[in-house]
């Protein structure tokens, strides 16, 4: 999909669309002064239709170039996003840009509210995780006039710039690896896939690959809430209570896989001869355990660095595929 950079929607355009004066629009948006309920409805309908975001720095010179880069990310407890920020932060600091961030907790409605709050400061760029946003968020981003960078996914159409890798390919390659190793009774342990859409894409592609090879997924255990080592341990325990003859388990990420690994150690389940374990992300801790984790290593720091470099260079719209690395490890 070709991206056409749009000019920022102005207060005057909102006023024209609503059939009122600019001062009336200003009063409605500030919720100060006199205006009727019908007038407010017309103004807010125009704001929503145009994707207008109030300018919090309207008093600054029009020629001033913003040095602010806003990150709207799902989590800070997940080291994946901390690594992305670390990579981007070094480039932005070197080029005298200021990074600010907000956390959505994988809630697209919260992402919408936070994106609006960030856009109100007219940043040079907004960086978000993945392609999945509410319609209102996408409309605001397109109308904002700033650069938009979507991170850690390439399975979809970018609003402007995208940097990352294919999650569907990661799921497919994970399944193909386990099949090549001779595993046929495979299960899955994961976290909330309706919120973490990138994990959902990996899982779907993983299952499709198994089905195409005549070895459908035997059982799954999907826990509510965020991923964690504890959820991985609990998830594998519950999965094995129902499916006792599994020979391999695919986890939504390394946090969950490490929990599964610790469960096996505690119960005397031999890895990988009795049960193989495969993760995703390639976290450092996965290489430090007695049997290095079999997983997919993702270029998280490089994703942040590349994204920041493209913003600094004011690069044209594009999608950059940084790929990923399959780590054979010792758990599969």
């Amino acid at each position: 999909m070709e991206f056409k950079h749009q000019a920022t929607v102005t207060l005057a355009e909102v006023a024209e669309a609503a059939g009122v004066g600019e001062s009336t629009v200003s009063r409605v948006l500030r919720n100060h002064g006199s205006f009727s309920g019908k007038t407010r409805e017309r103004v807010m309908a125009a704001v929503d239709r145009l994707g207008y975001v109030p300018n919090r720095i309207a008093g600054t010179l029009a020629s001033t170039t913003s040095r602010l880069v806003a990150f709207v990310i799902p989590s800070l407890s997940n080291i994946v996003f901390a690594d992305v920020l670390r990579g981007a932060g070094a480039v932005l600091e070197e080029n005298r840009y200021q990074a600010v961030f907000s956390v959505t907790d994988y809630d697209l409605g919260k992402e919408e509210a936070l994106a609006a709050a960030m856009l109100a400061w007219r940043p040079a760029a907004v960086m978000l995780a993945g392609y999945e946003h509410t319609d209102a968020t996408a409309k605001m981003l397109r109308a904002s006039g700033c650069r938009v960078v979507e991170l850690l996914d390439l399975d979809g159409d970018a609003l402007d710039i995208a940097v990352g890798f294919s999650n569907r390919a990661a799921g497919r390659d994970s399944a193909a690896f386990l099949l090549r190793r001779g595993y046929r009774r495979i299960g899955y342990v994961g976290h909330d896939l309706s919120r973490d859409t990138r994990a959902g894409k990996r899982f779907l592609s993983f299952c499709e690959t198994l089905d195409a090879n005549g070895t459908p997924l035997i059982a799954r255990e999907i826990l509510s809430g965020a991923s964690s080592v504890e959820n991985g341990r609990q998830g594998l325990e519950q999965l094995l209570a129902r499916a006792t003859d599994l020979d391999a388990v695919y986890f939504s990420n390394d946090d969950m896989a490490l929990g599964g690994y610790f469960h096996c150690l505690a119960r005397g389940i031999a890895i990988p001869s009795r049960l193989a374990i495969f993760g995703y992300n390639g976290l450092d801790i996965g290489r430090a355990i007695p049997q290095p984790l079999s997983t997919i290593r993702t270029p998280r720091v490089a994703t942040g660095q590349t994204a920041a470099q493209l913003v600094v260079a004011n690069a044209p719209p594009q999608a950059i595929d940084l790929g990923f690395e399959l780590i054979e490890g010792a758990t599969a």
Side-chain angles (χ1 to χ4, degrees):
M1 184 178 74
E2 183 181 358
F3 174 81
K4 295 182 179 179
H5 198 68
Q6 295 177 258
T8 304
V9 176
T10 66
L11 192 75
E13 289 172 320
V14 174
E16 181 179 358
V20 299
E22 291 182 41
S23 60
T24 300
V25 174
S26 179
R27 289 199 300 274
V28 169
L29 294 178
R30 289 184 292 113
N31 196 28
H32 181 75
S34 60
F35 49 85
S36 68
K38 289 185 177 180
T39 296
R40 184 184 187 283
E41 290 176 4
R42 291 208 310 273
V43 169
M44 296 312 296
V47 166
D48 182 63
R49 187 167 64 254
L50 297 175
Y52 175 75
V53 178
N55 189 350
R56 301 297 185 199
I57 53 174
T60 61
L61 294 174
S63 61
T64 298
T65 301
S66 174
R67 311 296 289 181
L68 190 70
V69 175
F71 291 82
V72 183
I73 58 175
S75 170
L76 275 181
S77 61
N78 188 328
I79 196 171
V80 169
F81 303 106
D83 282 347
V84 171
L85 288 174
R86 180 160 58 90
V91 174
L92 294 175
E93 183 179 358
E94 181 181 345
N95 289 275
R96 298 182 180 179
Y97 281 79
Q98 176 65 52
V100 296
F101 63 88
S102 55
V103 179
T104 69
D105 298 317
Y106 292 94
D107 183 330
L108 293 184
K110 192 172 180 180
E111 180 188 73
E112 180 182 321
L114 292 171
M118 290 291 193
L119 288 171
W121 295 96
R122 294 296 187 261
V126 176
M127 299 197 189
L128 311 96
Y131 289 142
E132 285 68 42
H133 319 291
T134 67
D135 290 342
T137 299
K139 186 180 294 183
M140 282 190 296
L141 292 169
R142 289 192 182 99
S144 67
C146 73
R147 303 312 303 268
V148 178
V149 186
E150 291 161 301
L151 305 165
L152 301 171
D153 197 6
L154 290 180
D155 301 309
D157 294 322
L159 294 171
D160 182 3
I161 293 172
V163 181
F165 40 84
S166 169
N167 283 272
R168 288 189 58 82
R172 181 183 65 242
D173 288 3
S174 300
F177 172 78
L178 291 176
L179 291 172
R180 285 197 306 272
R181 288 296 174 96
Y183 301 108
R184 294 296 181 268
R185 296 193 59 78
I186 302 173
Y188 176 81
V189 173
H191 56 288
D192 191 342
L193 302 180
S194 64
R195 293 166 72 89
D196 188 344
T197 56
R198 289 168 298 286
K201 291 177 181 180
R202 294 192 298 274
F203 176 61
L204 179 61
S205 182
F206 184 87
C207 292
E208 289 173 348
T209 304
L210 294 184
D211 289 341
N213 285 272
T215 56
L217 191 77
I218 299 299
R220 71 187 71 176
E221 187 70 33
I222 299 177
L223 290 86
S224 61
S227 68
S228 68
V229 173
E230 174 57 27
N231 270 351
R233 185 206 61 77
Q234 179 184 342
L236 183 59
E237 181 177 24
Q238 294 173 183
L239 182 72
L240 293 179
R242 298 197 322 273
T244 59
D245 58 347
L246 295 178
D247 58 15
V249 177
Y250 178 48
F251 289 80
S252 57
N253 60 32
D254 283 2
D255 290 343
M256 302 286 280
L258 286 167
Y261 179 83
F262 294 142
H263 172 73
C264 290
L265 289 184
R267 296 299 175 89
I269 300 172
I271 301 173
S273 59
R274 167 61 185 84
L275 185 70
I277 287 177
F278 196 90
Y280 172 83
N281 268 326
L283 302 184
D284 290 345
I285 190 174
R287 297 197 297 273
I289 59 178
Q291 294 167 276
L293 187 65
S294 302
T295 187
I296 293 280
R297 181 182 297 158
T298 56
R300 302 176 298 277
V301 174
T303 294
Q305 290 173 335
T306 303
Q309 288 164 354
L310 293 172
V311 167
V312 170
N314 195 27
Q318 58 191 287
I320 303 294
D321 188 350
L322 297 179
F324 51 79
E325 180 184 3
L326 193 148
I327 305 299
E328 292 191 0
T331 59

